[in-house]
Amino acid sequence: MEKRNLGASGLRISAIAYGNWLTHGSQVEEDAARACVQRALDEGITTFDTADVYANTAAETVLGKALAGERREGLEIFTKVFWPTGPGAHNDHGLSRKHIMESIDGSLRRLGTDYVDLYQAHRFDHEVPLEETMVAFADVVRAGKALYIGVSEWRAEEIRAAAALAKELRVPLISNQPQYSMLYRVIEAEVVPASKELGLGQIVWSPIAQGVLTGKYLPGQPPPAGSRATDDKGGADNIGRWLKDDVLERVQLLQPIADAAGLSLAQLAVAWVLQNDNVSAAIIGASRPEQVTENVKAAGVRLDADTMGAIDRVLEGVVLTDPSLTRSPRRSEVLS
């Protein structure tokens, strides 16, 4: 497994990270989830990403049990804070000092660890002073409960403001976790240049566009039974934007490119995001262990300029690039 530094920090992580956003505690039974984590470990993945909100805290619990007994020093465990957990009362969400301090203790308890390697602000909080948030994160680091801090789905100007405060506070802000794929490239214009300048690396989620870039969704046909597009626990809500015939037709045209590179479509998609030199890791999820084995083969793959150009030509006109698509919700949206 290829290892990369996370941003400009000294933290080394696996180029393929394992995440459990839409699986553990919701779509996948615990035994199957643990089998997927074990396969990830067997394949050389050392980096595991979760969040307190995933399956309303159940995902952290499942991941903690699955990693129990592993050598802690050989793992990089990431989690996040922002979205409502518990009963959703007035202080059960956001990036206030109160919510951060209570949430990190809950996450550590569920994960069964004394610290996380990376603690991430899951969205930007428009209602809390950024200084309050950053001081709280700095105190989490100084208490030894997290080694590094990061953000997720923040805009370039928000990252710059946080980085300035982190520098003053002398805490390591090292990463951003955005959506990024062949089809969704909104970070390229502003977030990536700012991150390069500031020493942040990207830990990207949905590199296969919620499964669309596997090619299993066919134009003019209903989604396969049991696929994410048929899931009523959140999966279908996130994949809908791609289930259009013009997008699905273009994805099918990627197959000859993948064949020429000796890759499956999914491997091509994961390899594509890893070509960006600001991407430290691509997060994959799985409902079956064999999906992990399939996708880790993208680690270390180098796509030549002709291949990258061919991909761009096939997808021209269906790629999303508008930086304004990165946005964090207001309090009223969070609680709606």
Side-chain angles (χ1 to χ4, degrees):
M1 172 60 63
E2 179 188 6
K3 298 296 192 296
R4 298 182 174 191
N5 282 70
L6 183 46
S9 79
L11 180 64
R12 300 278 287 173
I13 64 175
S14 51
I16 306 291
Y18 184 87
N20 65 355
W21 166 36
L22 284 174
T23 51
H24 298 186
S26 55
Q27 286 183 357
V28 178
E29 296 299 327
E30 185 169 338
D31 286 349
R34 294 176 74 169
C36 289
V37 170
Q38 186 57 57
R39 182 64 61 86
L41 292 164
D42 292 343
E43 295 289 353
I45 291 175
T46 58
T47 305
F48 294 85
D49 179 80
T50 188
D52 57 3
V53 72
Y54 295 167
N56 195 26
T57 73
E60 286 185 326
T61 299
V62 173
L63 181 62
K65 289 180 179 178
L67 293 175
E70 296 295 322
R71 179 176 176 268
R72 181 63 183 88
E73 294 83 354
L75 303 173
E76 304 85 46
I77 300 175
F78 303 167
T79 194
K80 313 180 197 72
V81 56
F82 173 81
W83 296 102
T85 55
H90 54 287
N91 282 313
D92 286 346
H93 66 280
L95 297 178
S96 68
R97 180 178 182 84
K98 177 177 174 62
H99 187 55
I100 290 171
M101 291 303 186
E102 293 171 348
S103 294
I104 184 62
D105 287 341
S107 289
L108 294 179
R109 183 176 62 254
R110 289 185 292 271
L111 288 165
T113 183
D114 294 330
Y115 69 95
V116 291
D117 297 272
L118 181 69
Y119 199 41
Q120 302 161 95
H122 210 160
R123 292 295 186 275
F124 182 82
D125 193 332
H126 298 280
E127 277 77 26
V128 174
L130 182 58
E131 184 173 6
E132 176 180 338
T133 295
M134 295 304 294
V135 169
F137 271 112
D139 287 345
V140 167
V141 172
R142 292 185 180 116
K145 297 178 180 181
L147 303 185
Y148 302 86
I149 55 175
V151 300
S152 177
E153 290 291 346
W154 282 33
R155 300 174 69 130
E157 61 269 25
E158 295 163 350
I159 291 172
R160 288 185 183 280
L165 285 169
K167 185 175 182 180
E168 290 181 18
L169 293 164
R170 301 183 67 80
V171 291
L173 176 65
I174 64 171
S175 64
N176 177 47
Q177 186 174 132
Q179 182 176 179
Y180 186 51
S181 71
M182 292 180 188
L183 292 170
Y184 195 88
R185 309 186 190 185
V186 303
I187 64 171
E188 291 182 344
E190 297 177 2
V191 167
V192 166
S195 296
K196 285 184 176 181
E197 175 189 333
L198 298 168
L200 277 70
Q202 310 300 316
I203 310 162
V204 305
W205 59 274
S206 198
I208 57 175
Q210 286 91 52
V212 168
L213 288 169
T214 65
K216 66 182 177 183
Y217 297 99
L218 302 176
Q221 297 187 26
S227 67
R228 183 164 292 178
T230 64
D231 171 52
D232 61 1
K233 297 178 181 178
D237 296 339
N238 294 284
I239 198 174
R241 71 171 57 166
W242 306 123
L243 298 181
K244 302 172 183 176
D245 282 354
D246 59 339
V247 175
L248 299 180
E249 288 165 359
R250 302 294 187 90
V251 171
Q252 294 302 311
L253 294 176
L254 292 172
Q255 187 65 63
I257 300 173
D259 291 342
L263 303 169
S264 69
L265 278 175
Q267 291 163 358
L268 181 71
V270 176
W272 183 90
V273 302
L274 291 173
Q275 305 310 296
N276 187 315
D277 62 7
N278 191 232
V279 171
S280 297
I283 300 172
I284 63 167
S287 56
R288 303 185 310 277
E290 55 266 30
Q291 292 172 322
V292 178
T293 297
E294 170 81 0
N295 290 332
V296 296
K297 294 175 183 176
V301 170
R302 297 291 176 261
L303 302 178
D304 60 32
D306 289 343
T307 300
M308 296 292 282
I311 291 168
D312 288 345
R313 288 189 292 275
V314 166
L315 297 179
E316 185 177 4
V318 299
V319 172
L320 296 180
T321 59
D322 183 359
S324 70
L325 291 172
T326 297
R327 60 178 296 275
S328 295
R330 298 283 176 175
R331 188 178 298 268
S332 59
E333 297 174 273
V334 170
L335 297 176
S336 62

